[in-house]
């Protein structure tokens, strides 16, 4: 079983569309994260949730809205997609970062 | 901003030990040192972490200097599959943990 799974793996969409990326973890972790890796390969944290509560919001445009229906899921909804949103988005989870974070395999978003 | 500095790249021969350095001179007393790697465009993979003492697991060893201002990740017998970007990160544990990735070091293992 995949510990942290993201869907879809690839997403190609037009500017102005709204899309969602889903993330699920089966590790029983309390905290989940979204990271963005741009074309220059920098990994930047976007959000973190602990037990469904928003903990970190790194000045991400409000077109990005995370939703955590339960502690095993953290979805990312993006409104009015822009070309600059093209990137690989990684979901991760941890149990208080005691053993670091476990990352998913990423969702490659391409906005055309 | 990342609180660590790493050389941009290094290489080593297959089968030899790879020693990856990291400076974290502004590390605070309760921050851990974490190492991750990212192979091609896969998700980052946790390798090891430590606070003060040296640590070893099945993947690597972590040597932290006594003043905690620098550390070295050691891959004892590098293989071609260890070619990746390696990130040294300092951060806190707990629900408010936020691991900030820098540029990392690109390790190339040559045959």
């Amino acid at each position: 079983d995949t510990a942290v799974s993201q869907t879809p793996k690839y997403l190609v969409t037009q500017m102005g569309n709204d899309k969602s990326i889903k993330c699920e973890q089966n590790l029983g972790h309390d905290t989940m994260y979204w990271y963005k890796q741009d074309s220059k390969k920098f990994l930047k944290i976007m959000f973190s949730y602990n037990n469904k509560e928003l903990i970190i919001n790194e000045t991400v445009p409000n077109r990005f809205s995370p939703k955590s229906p339960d502690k095993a899921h953290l979805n990312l909804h993006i409104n009015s997609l822009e070309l600059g949103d093209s990137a690989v988005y990684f979901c991760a989870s941890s149990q208080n970062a005691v053993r670091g974070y476990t990352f998913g395999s990423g969702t490659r978003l391409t906005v055309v | 901003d990342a609180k660590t500095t790493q050389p941009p790249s290094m290489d080593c021969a297959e089968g030899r030990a790879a020693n990856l350095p990291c400076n974290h001179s502004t590390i605070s007393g309760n921050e851990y040192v974490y190492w991750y790697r990212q192979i091609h465009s896969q998700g980052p993979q946790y390798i090891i972490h430590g606070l003060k003492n040296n640590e070893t697991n099945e993947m690597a060893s972590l040597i932290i200097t006594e003043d905690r201002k620098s550390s070295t990740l050691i891959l004892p017998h590098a293989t071609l599959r260890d070619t990746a970007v390696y990130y040294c990160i300092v951060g806190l544990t707990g629900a408010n943990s936020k691991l900030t990735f820098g540029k990392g070091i690109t390790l190339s293992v040559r045959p």
Side-chain angles (χ1 to χ4, degrees), chain A residues 20-37:
Chain A
S20 292
I21 306 172
K22 295 185 177 181
C23 179
E24 176 181 5
Q25 55 98 1
N26 63 5
L27 298 167
H29 289 166
D30 287 335
T31 309
M32 297 184 71
Y33 312 82
W34 278 109
Y35 277 79
K36 176 182 179 181
Q37 188 166 41

Side-chain angles (χ1 to χ4, degrees), chain A residues 33 35 43-45 56 97 100-101 103, chain B residues 32 34 36 89-93 96-101:
Chain A
Y33 312 82
Y35 277 79
L43 261 167
K44 295 182 180 178
I45 191 167
I56 293 171
Y101 300 177
F103 282 82
Chain B
Y32 284 74
Y34 294 88
Y36 283 77
I89 303 163
V90 297
L92 299 169
T93 57
N96 294 331
S97 166
K98 181 176 79 171
L99 297 188
T100 301
F101 287 72

